[in-house]
């Protein structure tokens, strides 16, 4: 079928969804979800979640057990009349009916990477937070916690009891279309931030979910990509991020990814699911497949998959048959059900179900703005171009990026629907697939926010479509602010890291017309900057969310001193990447997508060789002695900081302390970073991040910073012994303001010799 045919089909599917949304909402308003009446001894809260789960399992029929282990099918999601119990679905991405006679609630799942997704069909408002990469750029675990707490609260407000957020994949491939949903390229930073986010979501009595497990580091051909990676590299990079996130949060669910890992689908991979997650990490929650990521019944269940989503191709009738035939034992089935039920009790969704209410919009504004103020990264500020002085500037040219309408967001399943609709008309063909590609803006308007902040200046806008008109406006203004935008979405990767649609030429022309040109970037990740030497300031705002414009204005005018630092390296060009050409799908005959037969694809399984191994992000640039455009951990402030007095001493592994002083005349926050170099002969990258602290300092103030480093963060994965090892020997330690600005260094022997 051609594209138009599919589009028509998808639209036909979406129409009944509107009715489903209305019907289910009525049910939610008047009946569901309220706490089902106590049904048995498992209501005794003094029992452990495990005991309570087992008491329920003792009462369950085989059919009831199977019912908890799969979604209602794609039809249920698209709301056809034969949907049955799916009419109780709130219209989130996933729904599993509960067992009312036993007081087990429906699982109402919603995507929630940067806020509660897809509220439009229910006319519900959710806070569009800045992208997760912005939250990671704050390097502040408290910000990550606040981010997760807001998402958890708004999920509950809308009746959901399970989140599908928690993207923890490393930025190994900077063109990845989901970079904005993730937390950067370093496993300790990403794991720490995601752990706090998930912990906070679960504290609201919502099941958290960490995804996409694992090595799902590109979107191109994601259902067919076979990630080839060594065990050691996997353990020390992608898996380490998940391990830290899961450990720090006690998250209830792990979503296995679409791709294959070393030849086996992630959702039936015995190594990642059984050996690592279950055995080594002792994960007590359940594993849920990515949507359409289940490819078998017995191999998947035996490897450790507990729930097939969103459909029931493998874990409904085929699973029942496998149990009846003895291919899957009753004991194993009970273990799968146990994982689901113990998580429901442990996270509080049984004892404290959500009570729908109106989202606290004002609170959401505050959190969103704070995250952006802490996560925006000032990349260049020549001659103190910033902050701008609202009293002395007479005229400001605002150029491009639809800055007269709103700020850009990332697309795909994590899309938070824009309040009031997309203010920028999309010329797309419509339909579900088009939604993934549509550039959606939130109505936080930079032009208005800057006018508010500079009421005495003439602030004019030019869309940047006619370069000479834009340059003329810039020339006649005191200052020009160009908004450079780059859209990313789930489902495909960026072809390169350049600003699209002639924006580089626009910026060059504006910079040539006005020496006071400031570029504000709205992007999901790294962009190239051929014009960097010609502009005076650059602020990376990521996708800045529903208060993005206000936060950007606060930074530009100095109400907020920027303090974010890059959680990803910005290369000079894609030629610097480990793989300048991304592995992609070879053409094949048009075939149904596995698990999603309604989507036809033109691909075969293909290898993605992650032969850079341990050298993810900055570790690649350090090992290969390449100078990136901006290094990992980099970010400027309106003040300056000095480091002194490093001391390193062994504790359970290592304690690092030093002084940081604010040497400027403005209060500011510094993210003080600590790196280690492992002993010679370990074959490790030159440096790895092992800790950091964000310190607030008044002008002239000095603080003593102490960073405790746990053994894991200094260890290597010893494949021969399948264990982590702190290799005895000489460790180098550095401290400073970025991975390439480390004024303090020392050495210490660790490991008992
Ligand atoms: C995405 C997941 C998402 C799921 C449900 C999948 O295509 O990869 O991240 O949670 O859809 O919307």
């Amino acid at each position: 079928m051609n594209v138009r045919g599919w589009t028509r089909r998808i639209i036909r599917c979406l129409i009944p969804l509107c009715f489903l949304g209305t019907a289910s909402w009525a049910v939610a308003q008047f009946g569901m979800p309220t706490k089902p009446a106590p049904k048995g001894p498992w209501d005794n809260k003094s029992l452990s979640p495990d005991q309570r789960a087992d008491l329920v399992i003792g009462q369950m029929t085989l059919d009831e057990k199977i019912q908890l282990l799969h979604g209602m099918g794609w039809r249920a999601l698209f709301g056809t009349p034969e949907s049955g119990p799916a009419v109780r679905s709130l219209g989130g991405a996933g729904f599993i009916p509960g067992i009312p006679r036993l007081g087990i609630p429906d699982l109402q799942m919603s995507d929630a990477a940067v806020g509660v997704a897809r509220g439009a069909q229910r006319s519900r408002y959710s806070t569009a937070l800045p992208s997760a990469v912005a939250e990671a750029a704050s390097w502040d675990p408290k910000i990550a916690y606040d981010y997760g707490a807001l998402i958890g609260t708004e999920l509950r407000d809308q009746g959901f009891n399970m989140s599908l957020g928690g993207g923890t994949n490393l930025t190994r491939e900077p063109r990845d279309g989901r970079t904005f949903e993730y937390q950067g390229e370093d496993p300790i930073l990403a794991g720490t931030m995601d752990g706090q986010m998930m912990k906070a979501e679960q504290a609201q009595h919502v099941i958290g979910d960490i995804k996409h497990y694992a090595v799902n580091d590109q979107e191109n051909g994601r259902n067919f990509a076979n990630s080839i990676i060594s065990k050691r590299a996997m353990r020390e990079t992608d898996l380490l991020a998940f391990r830290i996130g899961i450990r720090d949060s006690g998250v209830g669910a792990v979503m296995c990814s679409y791709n294959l890992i070393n030849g086996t689908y992630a959702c039936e991979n015995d190594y990642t699911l059984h050996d690592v997650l279950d055995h080594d990490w002792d994960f007590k929650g359940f594993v849920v497949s990515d949507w359409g990521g289940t490819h078998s019944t017995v191999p998947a269940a035996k490897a450790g998959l507990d729930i097939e989503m969103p459909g029931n191709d493998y874990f409904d009738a085929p699973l029942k048959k496998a149990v009846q035939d003895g291919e899957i034992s009753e004991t194993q089935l009970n273990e799968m059900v146990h994982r689901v039920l113990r998580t429901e009790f442990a996270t509080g969704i049984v004892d404290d179900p959500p009570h729908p209410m109106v989202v606290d919009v004002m609170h959401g504004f505050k959190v969103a703005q704070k995250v952006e103020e802490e996560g925006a990264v000032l990349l260049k500020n020549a001659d103190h171009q910033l902050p701008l002085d609202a009293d002395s500037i007479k005229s400001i040219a605002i150029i491009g990026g639809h800055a007269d309408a709103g700020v850009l967001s990332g697309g795909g399943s994590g899309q938070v629907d824009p309040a009031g609709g997309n203010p920028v008309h999309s010329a797309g063909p419509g339909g579900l697939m088009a939604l993934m590609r549509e550039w959606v803006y939130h109505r936080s308007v930079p032009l208005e926010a800057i006018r508010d902040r500079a009421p005495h200046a003439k602030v004019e806008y030019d869309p940047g479509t006619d370069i000479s008109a834009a340059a003329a406006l810039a020339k006649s203004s005191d200052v020009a602010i160009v908004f450079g935008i780059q859209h990313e979405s789930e489902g495909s990767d960026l072809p390169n890291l350049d600003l699209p649609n002639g924006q580089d030429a626009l910026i060059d022309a504006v910079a040539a017309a006005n020496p006071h040109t400031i570029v504000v970037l709205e992007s999901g990740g790294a962009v190239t900057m051929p014009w960097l030497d010609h502009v005076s300031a650059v602020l990376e705002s990521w996708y800045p969310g529903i208060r993005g414009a206000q936060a950007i204005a606060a930074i530009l005018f100095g109400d907020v001193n920027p303090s974010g630092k890059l959680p990803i390296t910005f290369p000079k060009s894609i030629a610097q990447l480990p793989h300048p050409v991304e592995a992609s799908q070879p053409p094949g005959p048009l075939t149904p997508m596995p698990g999603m037969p309604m989507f036809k694809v033109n691909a075969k399984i293909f290898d993605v060789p992650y032969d850079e191994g341990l050298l993810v992000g900055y570790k690649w640039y350090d090992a290969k002695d390449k100078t990136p455009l901006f290094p990992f951990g980099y970010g400027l402030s309106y003040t300056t900081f000095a480091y002194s007095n490093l001391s390193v001493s062994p504790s359970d592994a290592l304690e690092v302390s030093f002084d940081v002083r604010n040497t400027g005349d403005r209060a500011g926050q510094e993210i003080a970073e600590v790196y280690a170099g492992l002993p010679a002969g370990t074959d490790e990258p030159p440096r790895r991040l092992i800790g950091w602290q964000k310190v607030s300092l008044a002008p002239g103030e000095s603080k003593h910073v102490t960073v405790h480093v746990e053994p894991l963060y200094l260890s290597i994965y010893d494949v021969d012994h399948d264990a982590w090892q702190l290799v005895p020997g000489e460790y180098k330690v550095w401290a400073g303001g970025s991975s390439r600005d480390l004024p303090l260094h020392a050495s210490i022997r660790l490991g008992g010799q």
Side-chain angles (χ1 to χ4, degrees):
M1 188 177 293
N2 61 23
V3 173
R4 281 181 57 193
W6 274 106
T7 307
R8 272 200 305 274
R9 233 174 127 160
I10 289 165
I11 290 169
R12 273 207 300 278
C13 288
L14 287 174
I15 291 167
L17 190 61
C18 303
F19 293 109
L20 172 72
T22 317
S24 62
W25 179 231
V27 178
Q29 291 271 332
F30 301 114
M32 291 287 295
T34 53
K35 181 173 171 5
K39 290 290 183 234
W42 51 83
D43 268 308
N44 179 351
K45 291 182 199 159
S46 67
L47 299 175
S48 71
D50 291 304
Q51 290 170 320
R52 297 175 73 181
D54 284 340
L55 285 168
V56 178
I57 290 172
Q59 300 296 314
M60 291 172 82
T61 64
L62 176 60
D63 285 335
E64 284 171 337
K65 290 176 187 174
I66 299 282
Q67 182 187 316
L68 292 190
L69 303 180
H70 60 81
M72 295 297 294
W74 289 94
R75 281 213 185 101
L77 278 187
F78 289 136
T80 55
E82 64 269 43
S83 304
V87 78
R88 293 205 303 265
S89 164
L90 295 175
F95 174 76
I96 298 181
I99 303 167
R101 81 172 183 92
L102 300 174
I104 300 305
D106 298 337
L107 274 186
Q108 302 274 7
M109 310 174 186
S110 174
D111 278 302
V114 300
V116 182
R118 297 199 288 281
Q121 69 201 25
R122 292 167 284 120
S123 287
R124 294 302 301 260
Y125 170 87
S126 320
T127 301
L129 285 160
S131 41
V133 72
E135 162 262 309
S138 76
W139 295 54
D140 185 347
K142 167 82 171 58
I143 288 287
Y145 191 93
D146 293 348
Y147 195 96
L150 185 84
I151 290 176
T153 306
E154 294 194 1
L155 281 165
R156 277 177 65 86
D157 290 348
Q158 301 185 43
F160 294 106
N161 55 11
M162 179 163 168
S163 158
L164 301 173
T168 314
N169 298 95
L170 291 190
T171 303
R172 182 185 281 279
E173 168 47 77
R175 288 159 291 201
D176 185 331
R178 300 185 90 166
T179 304
F180 75 99
E181 290 187 51
Y182 300 147
Q183 320 253 343
E185 67 193 27
D186 181 81
I188 299 178
L189 179 63
T192 303
M193 299 300 274
D194 206 68
Q196 290 308 303
M197 202 204 279
M198 289 298 105
K199 187 174 171 185
E201 281 189 23
Q202 295 211 149
Q204 314 312 311
H205 297 167
V206 163
I207 298 176
D209 162 63
I210 197 163
K211 70 187 186 184
H212 309 84
Y213 185 73
V215 209
N216 177 198
D217 297 342
Q218 72 173 52
E219 284 297 288
N220 277 351
R222 62 183 179 169
N223 297 83
F224 306 92
N226 178 26
S227 304
I228 309 282
I229 184 167
S230 75
K231 267 191 192 173
R232 174 169 170 188
M234 193 179 346
R235 289 279 197 160
E236 291 187 26
T237 61
D238 296 59
L239 297 192
L240 180 59
F242 279 93
R243 179 177 182 187
I244 296 168
I246 292 167
R247 177 197 68 183
D248 290 1
S249 63
V251 72
V254 168
M255 183 189 288
C256 52
S257 51
Y258 285 130
N259 56 296
L260 301 90
I261 308 166
N262 294 329
T264 309
Y265 281 110
C267 289
E268 56 189 58
N269 195 300
D270 205 55
Y271 181 67
T272 49
L273 294 181
H274 177 262
D275 297 0
V276 178
L277 184 62
D278 186 23
H279 181 264
D280 293 358
W281 300 351
D282 198 21
F283 175 61
K284 300 269 185 252
F286 59 87
V287 177
V288 54
S289 77
D290 199 343
W291 270 222
T294 309
H295 297 276
S296 65
T297 303
V298 176
K302 286 207 160 143
L305 178 66
D306 300 303
I307 293 184
E308 175 191 4
M309 285 305 287
N312 56 352
D313 293 341
Y314 299 101
F315 273 35
D316 192 354
L319 181 60
K320 185 174 174 186
K321 183 162 183 316
V323 173
Q324 286 166 335
D325 293 350
E327 282 187 286
I328 297 285
S329 68
E330 185 83 29
T331 311
Q332 187 187 340
L333 180 74
N334 285 345
E335 273 168 22
M336 293 161 78
V337 177
H338 179 97
R339 285 175 173 280
V340 176
L341 290 175
R342 68 96 54 203
T343 303
E344 295 190 8
F345 285 115
T347 50
I349 70 161
V350 180
D351 299 326
D352 182 20
H355 297 288
M357 63 176 81
V358 177
V359 162
D360 184 343
V361 180
M362 297 306 164
H363 176 64
F365 275 11
K366 273 193 202 140
V367 175
Q369 185 161 340
K370 177 78 177 157
V371 173
E372 178 59 18
E373 289 173 355
E374 299 276 326
V377 184
L378 182 62
L379 294 173
K380 178 170 180 180
N381 193 18
D383 303 325
H384 303 286
Q385 171 68 68
L386 295 173
L388 299 171
D389 178 6
D391 294 331
S392 62
I393 293 180
K394 306 258 178 312
S395 54
I396 304 175
I398 308 288
I399 295 166
H402 296 286
D404 62 331
V407 290
L408 189 59
S409 61
S413 59
Q415 180 79 62
V416 174
D417 287 334
N422 188 354
V424 179
H425 175 69
S426 161
L432 191 61
M433 300 311 278
L435 283 182
M436 304 275 250
R437 282 183 236 117
E438 186 174 323
W439 294 40
V440 174
Y441 297 74
H442 294 296
R443 293 169 190 253
S444 170
V445 182
L447 178 62
E448 288 170 8
I450 290 168
R451 278 192 176 136
D452 286 351
R453 196 52 194 73
H456 309 301
K458 189 164 112 190
V459 184
E460 286 178 279
Y461 177 71
D462 183 283
T465 39
D466 172 349
I467 290 186
S468 46
L473 177 64
K475 200 174 176 71
S476 65
S477 307
D478 289 351
V479 172
I481 306 175
V482 189
F483 285 79
I485 56 175
Q486 179 206 54
H487 184 251
E488 248 176 37
S489 174
E490 176 184 338
S492 60
D493 294 334
L494 295 168
N496 52 50
L497 298 176
D498 302 340
L499 289 176
N501 306 329
Q503 294 179 86
D504 285 340
L506 171 69
I507 295 170
D508 260 330
V510 171
N514 188 323
H516 303 290
T517 293
I518 298 152
V519 176
V520 176
L521 294 167
E522 293 169 18
S523 70
V527 298
T528 56
M529 303 180 202
W531 32 261
L532 184 62
D533 290 344
H534 311 142
V535 303
S536 52
V538 182
L539 179 71
E540 172 58 82
S541 77
W542 315 106
Y543 300 137
I546 191 61
R547 293 289 285 176
Q550 291 74 9
I552 290 167
I555 291 173
L556 294 179
F557 288 93
D559 310 331
V560 167
N561 190 350
S563 60
K565 293 202 175 177
L566 294 180
I568 50 178
T569 306
F570 276 41
K572 284 185 176 148
S573 77
I574 55 172
Q576 286 192 319
L577 301 180
H579 298 280
V581 178
E582 198 184 318
S584 60
Q585 55 212 82
L590 208 64
T591 50
M593 188 183 284
M596 285 190 266
M598 76 241 256
F599 295 117
K600 300 283 184 286
V601 289
N602 185 21
K604 297 177 189 157
I605 287 170
F606 64 101
D607 288 349
V608 183
Y610 287 130
D611 46 16
E612 72 284 351
L614 297 173
L615 302 181
V616 179
Y618 63 96
K619 294 169 184 165
W620 166 261
Y621 295 81
D622 287 348
K624 302 292 173 189
D625 215 7
K626 289 174 189 278
T627 305
L629 190 63
F630 293 109
F632 175 81
Y634 174 86
L636 299 171
S637 161
Y638 295 149
T639 186
T640 45
F641 303 95
Y643 287 74
S644 59
N645 292 332
L646 175 68
S647 82
V648 292
S649 55
S651 56
D652 62 334
L654 180 66
E655 192 170 290
V656 182
S657 59
F658 49 92
D659 295 332
V660 186
R661 193 158 60 90
N662 181 344
T663 49
D665 54 7
R666 216 174 239 277
Q669 299 184 86
E670 168 71 337
I671 298 163
E673 303 165 32
V674 181
Y675 294 80
L678 269 60
T682 49
D683 282 332
E684 283 290 310
R687 265 186 293 282
R688 58 163 78 165
L689 178 75
I690 53 169
W692 67 92
Q693 221 176 86
K694 195 162 185 174
V695 219
S696 294
L697 294 164
E701 191 186 4
S702 183
K703 274 189 187 156
H704 192 62
V705 171
T706 301
V707 174
H708 299 275
V709 186
E710 59 175 287
L712 176 66
Y713 295 178
L714 291 159
S715 298
I716 66 165
Y717 194 76
D718 176 350
V719 177
D720 293 338
H721 296 93
D722 254 326
W724 288 87
Q725 194 199 359
L726 185 77
V727 178
E730 188 87 4
Y731 285 72
K732 292 187 195 128
V733 178
W734 293 269
S738 92
S739 66
R740 289 286 173 106
D741 178 17
L742 298 165
L744 304 182
H745 40 93
S747 290
I748 183 169
R749 283 198 79 76
L750 294 174
Q753 282 192 356

